Each structure stands twice: as C-alpha cells, then as structure tokens.
C-alpha cells in the first residue's frame, strides 16, 4: 500500500474512532433503556443487555404520551407560525428592498444574541396579563421568537438568488407582489422552507427554558418537562428514564433524516437550482 493509501486509511480510522466516541452516549442510553433494574448496578456493567426488558418502554407508553403529544402540537405550530412570518419578511428584504432593511437585518442578528431566560421572563410578565400562561398557543408564540430571526435571514439569503427576470416576467403577466411571492418565489424556495421548518421544529421540540417558565405545572407540558419531572419522581428507574429519552429523540431524528437531502440541496444549490 502506498503512502497516500495509508494516510487515507489512517484518517478513516481516526474519523471512525471520533464518531464512536461521540455516539457512545447515545448507545449507552439505548443499552440502559433495555436493562433490568436489578442489573443497573452491576460492576462492571453489561455492554449489552444480557436480559433485555421492555418495561421502560411500557412505562413510557403509560405515562409520557401526553407530553409527547403536546411537544408535537407545539413543534408543528411553531413551524407553521415561523414559516408564515419569516417567508414574506425574507422576500421583502431580498426583493422589495424596503427602506431600513439593513437596520432590520442587524436587529435580527442582535435578537439571536439575547439570552433565552431574559426573553422567557419578558413573556411571563406579558402572558400573566393576557392569561396565556400554561397554554399551548402561548408556548408556540414564545418558541417562534427563537426561530423567526434565523428563518428570516435564511429566506433572505435563498430568495436573493432568485433571478430578477422571473419576477419581472410575473409582473408583466399582471401578477402583483403577493401573487408573485405565492406563485413564483415560494415554490422556488422549497429547500429554504424545509430548512427553516426543520430548525424551527428542533428548537421547539428541545426547548426547556420557555416550557419551564411559561407552562410548568399546567395541563399541557412538553416532553422536556416530562423527562425533567420523571427524573425527579423516579430517579431509581433508569431504564424507564432512558426509554423516555429514546422515544423523545425519535421524532427529531426521523425528521432530520428525511429532510437532510433538502437541507443539503438548499445549502449547496441555493433556492433556484434543485
């Protein structure tokens, strides 16, 4: 084997080793989720569950489904609200060139630097007056504030690459700005829509700060609070805790796998080529 071949194999081996190290916590979470309670404190621990059990997953189905349903509703609501607000804003910044657009872009960047806990306390004071505490719509609006600034910047970058000739052709056919956006710009920005939807869903699905501040103790709590409460109440049932974590990770993982080619296409080809 020549020197370049050895170097390639060496890099591959290092890459596999680092990947294994990073993924080991995920493997251990799966391992523990199938491990019986009486085998938890074995020394050394079993690298594979010798006596696998589904007791933890049965507990998840019995106790955690309402939390998962709330997280799904909040995630989908956040996606819809984020796309509905950020797509027109990105189109306006990219193609309509409003006065003060540069300042607005700077403010969007600055908004992403505000700590989440500060925004959560502001929402708490507002929701207390409006009666939106411990409500799903209130949590959707709060989670959208994390996604909208990022989404507007993504849409602006994507839509800036759409040829102006296409918009001029639509205008010559009698389409106004709204019709042009709906019939020309938005279909060509499919990859941007998928990218924004993916990140909006992942942010809302994994949110803990807003959930703990705005809906803690209510009837509709997301899975992040479900895991948090479950650890506090059942800190000895580690197989059930890890099973809950596995089930909570599945929707985000499936969506990420299904959407990754659209995200990659959008990043590499922009909003025009597909």
């Amino acid at each position: 084997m020549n020197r370049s071949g050895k170097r390639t194999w060496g890099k591959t081996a290092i890459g596999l080793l680092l990947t294994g190290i990073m993924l080991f916590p995920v493997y251990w979470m799966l391992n523990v989720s199938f491990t019986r309670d009486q085998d938890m404190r074995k020394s050394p621990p079993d690298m594979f569950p010798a006596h696998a059990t589904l007791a933890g997953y049965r507990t998840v189905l019995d106790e955690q489904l309402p939390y998962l349903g709330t997280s799904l509703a909040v995630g989908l609501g956040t996606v819809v609200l984020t796309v509905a607000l950020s797509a027109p804003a990105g189109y306006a910044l990219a193609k309509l060139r409003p006065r003060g657009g540069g300042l607005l872009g700077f403010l969007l960047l600055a908004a992403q630097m505000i700590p989440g806990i500060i925004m959560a306390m502001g929402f708490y004071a507002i929701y207390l007056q409006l009666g939106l505490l411990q409500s799903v719509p209130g949590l959707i609006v709060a989670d959208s504030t994390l996604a909208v600034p990022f989404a507007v910047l993504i849409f602006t970058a994507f839509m800036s690459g759409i040829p102006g000739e296409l918009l001029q052709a639509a205008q010559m056919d009698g389409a106004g700005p709204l019709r042009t956006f709906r019939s020309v710009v938005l279909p060509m920005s499919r990859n941007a829509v998928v990218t924004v939807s993916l990140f909006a869903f992942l942010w809302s699905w994994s949110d803990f700060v807003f959930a703990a501040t705005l809906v803690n103790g209510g009837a509709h709590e997301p899975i992040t609070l479900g895991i948090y409460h479950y650890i506090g109440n059942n800190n000895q049932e580690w197989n059930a805790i890890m099973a809950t974590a596995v089930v909570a990770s599945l929707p985000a993982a499936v969506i990420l796998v299904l959407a990754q080619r659209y995200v990659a296409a959008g990043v590499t080809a922009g909003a025009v080529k597909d």
Side-chain angles (χ1 to χ4, degrees):
M1 182 181 297
N2 57 31
R3 182 175 299 177
S4 62
K6 292 181 179 179
R7 187 180 297 112
T8 300
W9 278 105
K11 292 180 179 180
T12 301
I14 293 174
L16 291 174
L17 176 62
L18 294 176
T19 301
I21 292 174
M22 289 186 293
L23 293 181
F24 182 77
V26 177
Y27 162 73
W28 198 250
M29 178 177 67
L30 286 168
N31 181 34
V32 174
S33 70
F34 290 105
T35 302
R36 299 182 305 176
D37 289 337
Q38 56 266 38
D39 296 333
M40 288 292 175
R41 292 181 172 81
K42 291 182 61 176
S43 183
D46 293 329
M47 297 302 296
F48 300 94
H51 306 283
T53 177
L54 294 175
Y57 291 92
R58 285 193 291 268
T59 302
V60 172
L61 295 178
D62 291 339
E63 300 179 7
Q64 295 293 326
L65 285 183
Y67 297 103
L68 289 168
T70 299
S71 285
L72 184 61
V74 172
L76 295 177
T78 301
V79 168
V80 172
L81 183 59
T82 298
V83 173
L85 294 177
S86 57
Y91 169 61
L93 291 176
K95 294 301 182 182
L96 302 183
R97 306 292 183 182
R99 185 174 299 178
L103 176 61
L104 179 58
F106 172 77
L107 293 177
L108 290 172
L109 285 174
Q112 298 182 71
M113 303 178 186
I114 302 176
I117 187 61
I118 295 178
M119 297 179 64
M121 296 309 298
F123 273 113
Y124 183 88
I126 296 173
Y127 285 1
L128 186 62
Q129 299 296 325
L130 298 178
L132 290 176
L133 288 176
Q134 300 180 348
S135 69
V136 172
L139 188 56
I140 290 174
V141 172
D143 284 338
S144 297
T145 60
L146 296 175
V148 166
F150 171 81
V152 172
L153 296 177
I154 291 293
F155 275 120
T156 301
F158 273 71
M159 294 176 181
S160 295
I162 298 178
E165 292 80 1
L166 293 178
L167 305 185
Q168 294 174 5
Q171 293 170 2
M172 292 179 62
D173 290 338
L178 182 59
R179 177 66 180 276
T180 301
F181 167 74
R182 185 177 66 250
S183 301
V184 179
V185 176
L186 200 57
M188 297 183 68
S189 303
R190 181 187 63 178
N191 294 326
V193 172
V194 174
T195 301
V196 167
S197 300
L198 173 64
F199 281 99
F201 183 86
L202 292 179
W203 277 333
S204 63
W205 186 267
S206 61
D207 168 64
F208 179 79
V209 174
F210 284 144
T213 305
L214 303 177
V215 299
N216 192 10
H220 304 287
E221 294 183 334
I223 190 61
T224 49
L225 290 184
I227 295 175
Y228 177 72
H229 295 326
Y230 199 66
I231 291 175
N233 295 333
N234 303 276
N235 56 8
Q236 301 300 316
E237 300 179 19
W238 284 106
N239 60 345
I241 294 172
M242 291 302 177
T244 303
V246 170
V247 173
S249 302
L250 286 178
V254 171
I255 291 175
L256 183 60
V257 170
L258 294 177
Q260 64 176 346
R261 69 185 185 95
Y262 296 101
V263 175
V267 170
T268 57
V272 179
K273 298 179 182 179
D274 207 355

